[in-house]
Amino acid sequence: GPAAVAANLGSDVPRAFREISRLPGAGQLATVAAAWHVAHRSGTALGSSIAQVADLLREEAETGRLVAVELAAARVTARMICALPVLVLLFAASVGADPWHFLTATPVGIGCLVVGALLDLLGLLWLQRITDAVTR
């Protein structure tokens, strides 16, 4: 809308694109604004500049999808590792051992349970911090 109005009025179209690019989800329009600005200043064809921008944005989107797939695998692995202690306890109980008594009725067991749960939580938080850093 605002960029079309600017174009119809002969106003600063790249500036309109830059303003729109500040809106959530429209950040890629800053690249379009830069290409428009360069094409306008240099006198080159706008079509080729926009085509290059489109190629760049497609490559960025593909990279984003690849990163998301790789991070999903890491998240699933981390969750599986966090679930393993519970699965081991269930398995031990199924073969006749009583790990629940040790973990809930003895001071050492309670300490192990608390420390283990905290380490599991810290591991998940650490992974979340890493994935947040990667996706920025």
Side-chain angles (χ1 to χ4, degrees), residues 14 17 21 26-40 44-62:
F17 275 126
S21 73
Q28 296 169 331
L29 288 177
T31 308
V32 174
W36 194 299
H37 181 78
V38 168
H40 179 71
T44 59
L46 179 60
S48 63
S49 297
I50 296 297
Q52 289 176 347
V53 167
D55 290 342
L56 173 70
L57 295 177
R58 274 192 289 278
E59 288 173 9
E60 286 178 359
E62 179 61 30

